[in-house]
Amino acid sequence: MKDTNMNNNAEAGLKQSFAAMVYGEIVYWLSIVACFVCTIAPILTVAFPENNFLNPYFLFARIWEKTPPDKIWMSAGESHFDAWFWTRNLSQGDGLIMFGLVLGCSCACIGLIGASLAFFFRKGTGAFLGDRLYSVGGGDISRDVGNAPIRESEFSFFKEAVISFFSEDDMVQEPEPKEFCRRLQSCRNLAVFRTRVEIV
Amino acid sequence: MSMENGKNTPRFLKSPWLELIVLLGSVILSYIALLIIAGGSDTPPGGMTLMNIVLFLFGFFILSFAIAVIAVMAGIGGGVIYTPLMLAFTPVNSLVVRATGLIVAMFSGLVSTGPFMKRGIGNLKIAMLCCAGYGLGGFLGARGAIYVAATMGAAGEGWVRFSLGCIVLVLGAYFFFGGVKRDWPEIKSGTKTYPAFSNPYYEPSVGKIMDYKVVRLIQGAAAMFGIGLVSGFFGMGAGWAIVPIMNFVMALPLKVAASLSGIVIGMGDCITVWPYIYSGAIIPLFVAPWLVGQVVGGMIGAQVLIRARSEIIRIILIGIMFYTSFGLITNALQKLGVTPALPSWASVLVLVLMMAWVIVVVLRKSFGTEAKKRRQAA
């Protein structure tokens, strides 16, 4: 029978790819942030017209006169266009807009890095590598960190954090305590390894 | 506790409504602020007044918003409408238009990625594979566009407009006649499938979990290279080509193909747009209102107006595409020195003829639907 209350995979009891969800969330929120930056930054351009990389008084006239882009940028007094001009001009209106655009144009790359990290830790490869690297540094993970069970308070804290973060859309179901502890342990192993490297 | 709180929270305080309201509020407030600031300012000699600049920004935003909303309702990508319209009817440099067109197409795809992934209909593995071909093609296409603009000058501009006019004409005909699409393509026995790439999803309209198989992955990725080349060169979305390729070549269900096309365009255009950024074709103040209009309009269209999807709006858009292709081809022929500038009465005549055609088609469709309903009632 058709169940109209279910809307997505999680509600239907299907296991959703965690890496895909991480990618989707990162891309969605970064594009929203980029859009927000591009909404408010033109206020800076108009409020302080002299404080812009491209003078707004003459910009639209040049665009409407079929001026090629390189000539538009040269009107700013630069000998050649530098795509990273905004890093030095973040307090200017067009510098801030360009930051928003670059953020939006990079969000798929950032999302894929997030998705690969999610995949890495989800599959336990992170835990395995963390252990191996730690032993290369002369340590013994089971001796130094131990396979001590995660404390009840620690588990409850992380569980609560994850559930409250995802509860809005029931994207993930409540994790199994055993699986959750395993993931937490792998993260902890990697953190200890990182600390050890820093000390060395 | 938090779960219970989540269920009791009003709908408008939840995603995506919350961010939509925040974005819409910030857009309204920012344009009010812009109008107030521009009101009492001095203009240097020969410069444009700040009020005119604000009106330009507002006009671009409204146009972009309208394109996004209509595109969602008609099921046609925003980039396919924006780039030809701007190239046909404005004197803006084609490289600037194409770079902005890519941003328009890209952000339409990016904002739809999150919801598709949440619902489980988005398939990251296939998207990444297709993006490898699409991104590479798009990158080379963008480099080609910059090369043509740098070396061929006015003739290059003419050829770009002419070929785009032909593409838009064919696309308009393709959208009008519908093309053959299969909701659930059949896979012949013996065809090699890739189980690792399938991703079952829950389909609320039938209340079932749907599973599908993927075939001809390599051929699909290779076709994506060609699509990316066209998309990157002309700076427009490519959903019109990605969906049929995924549906016919890779045997993906229509709904999965349609959602994946947005994800692939969002991901692939993040690669394609960088040659344009490095060439300076992205003019920040010009692009910003187009970007914001696409995101806000696309979200409103997807949340509010998706049920109002209308065949009539689709036909009007197809009429616009035909008229745009006429504008592009005549503009190109004039730039190439083949024909003199078209007299304005000829443009108006073609516009009137196109409007008459749209009205006739809409009336025929409406009467056809009425007659069908009457027959069913009888």
Side-chain angles (χ1 to χ4, degrees):
Chain A
M1 204 176 84
K2 186 177 162 180
D3 183 352
T4 48
N5 292 325
M6 293 192 290
N7 287 311
N8 54 36
N9 280 7
E11 287 174 22
L14 270 179
K15 199 177 172 190
Q16 172 71 329
S17 159
F18 186 62
M21 283 199 317
V22 167
Y23 175 77
E25 288 295 296
I26 290 176
V27 163
Y28 180 75
W29 286 106
L30 282 184
S31 50
I32 295 282
V33 170
C35 176
F36 187 72
V37 171
C38 289
T39 305
I40 55 166
I43 300 175
L44 274 182
T45 303
V46 175
F48 309 103
E50 309 300 335
N51 186 30
N52 276 289
F53 195 76
L54 289 172
N55 190 335
Y57 289 120
F58 302 100
L59 179 65
F60 281 101
R62 286 203 181 94
I63 291 175
W64 237 242
E65 285 163 4
K66 310 178 197 178
T67 312
D70 49 342
K71 291 206 173 102
I72 293 176
W73 287 101
M74 272 179 210
S75 67
E78 301 280 308
S79 58
H80 66 282
F81 170 67
D82 175 16
W84 299 96
F85 79 94
W86 55 274
T87 52
R88 303 182 300 275
N89 302 280
L90 267 178
S91 60
Q92 297 177 345
D94 46 10
L96 198 58
I97 297 174
M98 200 66 196
F99 162 70
L101 290 171
V102 168
L103 183 71
C105 296
S106 315
C107 66
C109 175
I110 300 168
L112 283 175
I113 291 170
S116 39
L117 284 176
F119 185 77
F120 188 69
F121 284 110
R122 189 74 165 183
K123 292 283 177 191
T125 326
F128 173 78
L129 275 183
D131 292 359
R132 293 303 102 199
L133 288 170
Y134 193 72
S135 61
V136 169
D140 181 349
I141 197 88
S142 55
R143 186 193 64 212
D144 296 345
V145 183
N147 291 320
I150 307 290
R151 288 191 300 276
E152 184 61 33
S153 59
E154 201 176 8
F155 175 73
S156 306
F157 170 76
F158 278 101
K159 191 178 89 170
E160 197 62 38
V162 169
I163 289 172
S164 63
F165 182 74
F166 288 112
S167 63
E168 291 292 297
D169 301 289
D170 295 340
M171 286 192 334
V172 289
Q173 289 159 346
E174 194 168 322
E176 287 286 322
K178 198 177 163 190
E179 164 67 10
F180 200 88
C181 288
R182 193 190 62 73
R183 265 186 279 150
L184 198 62
Q185 186 74 51
S186 65
C187 290
R188 192 205 256 183
N189 291 356
L190 208 65
V192 171
F193 167 71
R194 223 175 272 136
T195 317
R196 173 59 83 89
V197 169
E198 277 166 16
I199 292 166
V200 170
Chain B
M1 200 176 82
S2 56
M3 295 271 273
E4 282 170 19
N5 286 346
K7 278 176 186 168
N8 293 332
T9 314
R11 188 173 151 206
F12 290 99
L13 292 178
K14 281 184 178 179
S15 179
W17 289 99
L18 184 61
E19 53 265 28
L20 181 57
I21 291 166
V22 169
L23 272 183
L24 206 57
S26 59
V27 166
I28 293 167
L29 285 177
S30 72
Y31 277 105
I32 291 172
L34 283 171
L35 285 171
I36 293 169
I37 295 166
S41 63
D42 300 323
T43 310
M48 187 182 273
T49 62
L50 281 183
M51 185 54 83
N52 278 349
I53 294 171
V54 171
L55 289 178
F56 260 119
L57 294 178
F58 188 64
F60 290 157
F61 169 76
I62 292 292
L63 264 177
S64 176
F65 181 85
I67 287 176
V69 169
I70 292 170
V72 169
M73 286 169 75
I76 296 171
V80 177
I81 305 166
Y82 166 83
T83 308
L85 266 180
M86 288 292 283
L87 281 181
F89 304 113
T90 67
V92 180
N93 183 276
S94 79
L95 213 55
V96 174
V97 171
R98 286 182 276 172
T100 312
L102 268 185
I103 297 268
V104 164
M106 182 175 79
F107 272 83
S108 309
L110 287 177
V111 286
S112 66
T113 298
F116 284 142
M117 290 297 188
K118 253 188 216 177
R119 281 174 52 200
I121 198 166
N123 185 328
L124 187 63
K125 288 176 192 169
I126 298 178
M128 283 168 69
L129 186 87
C130 290
C131 177
Y134 181 87
L136 185 63
F139 184 83
L140 293 177
R143 297 291 306 167
I146 293 161
Y147 177 78
V148 166
T151 54
M152 289 180 71
E157 293 268 312
W159 281 114
V160 165
R161 279 173 170 80
F162 183 77
S163 36
L164 186 60
C166 295
I167 289 174
V168 173
L169 189 67
V170 173
L171 269 183
Y174 170 74
F175 286 142
F176 182 67
F177 293 109
V180 184
K181 286 169 187 161
R182 296 170 296 182
D183 282 344
W184 286 92
E186 281 177 25
I187 297 170
K188 285 180 190 164
S189 59
T191 313
K192 190 186 175 189
T193 58
Y194 299 86
F197 280 83
S198 70
N199 184 33
Y201 69 97
Y202 175 72
E203 177 52 62
S205 63
V206 289
K208 275 185 188 169
I209 291 170
M210 313 298 258
D211 200 359
Y212 55 89
K213 291 191 174 86
V214 193
V215 298
R216 294 184 284 271
L217 274 177
I218 306 300
Q219 290 92 324
M224 291 295 154
F225 175 83
I227 297 167
L229 211 60
V230 175
S231 170
F233 188 84
F234 291 109
M236 57 181 195
W240 47 272
I242 292 177
V243 174
I245 291 289
M246 285 183 169
N247 193 227
F248 279 98
V249 178
M250 300 167 83
L252 288 174
L254 192 58
K255 204 165 181 180
V256 176
S259 63
L260 267 176
S261 81
I263 298 170
V264 171
I265 288 171
M267 201 188 278
D269 282 351
C270 278
I271 303 168
T272 308
V273 79
W274 280 94
Y276 284 108
I277 291 180
Y278 271 92
S279 71
I282 303 275
I283 310 289
L285 198 58
F286 181 74
V287 176
W290 288 104
L291 184 157
V292 177
Q294 279 300 310
V295 173
V296 178
M299 285 174 80
I300 287 182
Q303 297 302 327
V304 183
L305 300 167
I306 195 76
R307 286 173 194 87
R309 182 171 287 188
S310 164
E311 190 63 21
I312 293 171
I313 291 171
R314 193 177 165 83
I315 290 164
I316 294 170
L317 266 190
I318 290 167
I320 292 173
M321 287 176 82
F322 282 142
Y323 185 63
T324 307
S325 73
F326 165 77
L328 278 169
I329 291 170
T330 49
N331 192 332
L333 293 177
Q334 184 200 332
K335 276 195 165 48
L336 293 169
V338 178
T339 57
L342 202 69
S344 50
W345 63 263
S347 294
V348 174
L349 181 70
V350 174
L351 180 63
V352 170
L353 286 173
M354 200 54 66
M355 282 165 70
W357 175 80
V358 167
I359 290 167
V360 168
V361 174
V362 166
L363 285 177
R364 278 183 64 183
K365 289 246 175 201
S366 307
F367 283 124
T369 318
E370 284 292 315
K372 199 176 172 184
K373 274 182 189 168
R374 254 183 266 131
R375 273 201 304 274
Q376 279 173 350

